[in-house]
Amino acid sequence: MSIQQTVVSTERQPVLTSRELSFSAGSASILKPISLDLQAGIVCGLLGHNGSGKSTLVKLLARQVTPTTGDLQLEAKDFSDWKQKDFACRVAYLPQHMPSAQGLLVEELVSHGRYPWHGAFRRFTDVDRHKVDEALELTNTDILRHRQVDNLSGGERQRVWIAMLIAQNAKCLLLDEPISALDVSHQVETLRLIRDLAHKKNISVLMVLHDINMAGRFCDRLLALRDGELIADGTPEEILQREILAKIFGVEMGVLRHPDGEGAITYVA
């Protein structure tokens, strides 16, 4: 199954680029050849049913796994030409299941974002401190800096993890289901934060989302996978259409214009 892709018109330079990227595990094809560009300052939502290959694609772009075929470039430079340290300074990855932050204060966790820049043994510099303070301020977590991460609410913890990525000063954020464990108010808060940071700091963002309506409201561009194939790529207005949603998710869905006049609301028909 495939539909003609819609290319988002933009003059922004691509940060991450894949060409004919694929991944197989044994005889099983997890991702079919995918070509895409992720531009600076654009928030891309990655949609698709469970098992469609979303997390695998994010891991490939984050250099967490090695592709079976295809080429990957960061800032027009092949992945293989990037040293791990330099790559980590530019690309930040937030997995679906976060590691333990037991015993860490918020300020300490956010400071971990500076590790790619100074390593384990270099002195923490004034630049590092500035980046940590800036990240805490941008994510409205400065008031939490002396609290233990494990004692925070789900929404607060998610903002702190994002603050760590911002302190990393990365040009590309790859987020795997960043709102899956949050209630609606914290989902909105987190997605608004991600969108505002991307636009303000000209960061490229790709994030896996399951809530179609949230994706349509907070993303500039939507990508959709089905059975490992990229079958849709366009603006929310272009993707949130009955026939396209049915092909993505395999069920009939209806679409209503949002009451405030912006965007759309989708539902299972």
Side-chain angles (χ1 to χ4, degrees), residues 47 210-217 222 240 245 249 253 266:
L47 306 174
H210 283 290
D211 190 312
I212 309 167
N213 292 318
M214 290 290 190
R217 189 167 184 84
L222 297 179
L240 299 186
L245 292 172
F249 297 104
M253 301 189 69
T266 65

Side-chain angles (χ1 to χ4, degrees), residues 147-239:
R147 291 181 58 185
Q148 288 204 357
V149 177
D150 286 347
N151 293 336
L152 302 177
S153 70
E156 289 171 335
R157 279 198 304 273
Q158 201 69 350
R159 280 193 288 136
V160 168
W161 280 106
I162 293 171
M164 186 191 74
L165 303 188
I166 298 303
Q168 190 173 330
N169 202 35
K171 299 302 181 184
C172 181
L173 304 184
L174 303 172
L175 314 175
D176 195 350
E177 298 190 34
I179 63 170
S180 61
L182 304 180
D183 58 36
V184 173
S185 64
H186 285 123
Q187 288 181 10
V188 171
E189 179 183 73
T190 300
L191 290 177
R192 182 175 288 124
L193 168 64
I194 292 169
R195 181 192 62 190
D196 291 348
L197 286 171
H199 293 172
K200 180 177 181 179
K201 296 181 71 66
N202 204 35
I203 296 170
S204 174
V205 176
L206 176 67
M207 56 181 171
V208 176
L209 295 172
H210 283 290
D211 190 312
I212 309 167
N213 292 318
M214 290 290 190
R217 189 167 184 84
F218 290 101
C219 295
D220 305 303
R221 174 185 177 191
L222 297 179
L223 309 173
L225 295 176
R226 184 170 177 84
D227 298 327
E229 181 182 0
L230 182 63
I231 65 168
D233 177 1
T235 65
E237 292 76 16
E238 292 165 335
I239 301 302

Side-chain angles (χ1 to χ4, degrees), residues 1-8 35 221-224 229-235 237-241 243-245 247-248:
M1 174 189 297
S2 65
I3 59 177
Q4 185 174 1
Q5 295 181 16
T6 302
V7 178
V8 177
S35 297
R221 174 185 177 191
L222 297 179
L223 309 173
E229 181 182 0
L230 182 63
I231 65 168
D233 177 1
T235 65
E237 292 76 16
E238 292 165 335
I239 301 302
L240 299 186
Q241 304 290 336
E243 63 279 6
I244 296 179
L245 292 172
K247 290 180 179 179
I248 295 171

Side-chain angles (χ1 to χ4, degrees), residues 58-65 79-80 82-84 87:
V58 172
K59 289 177 182 178
L60 287 167
L61 297 175
R63 209 157 77 166
Q64 298 293 305
V65 295
F79 269 28
S80 59
W82 284 96
K83 294 181 179 179
Q84 182 58 37
F87 185 90

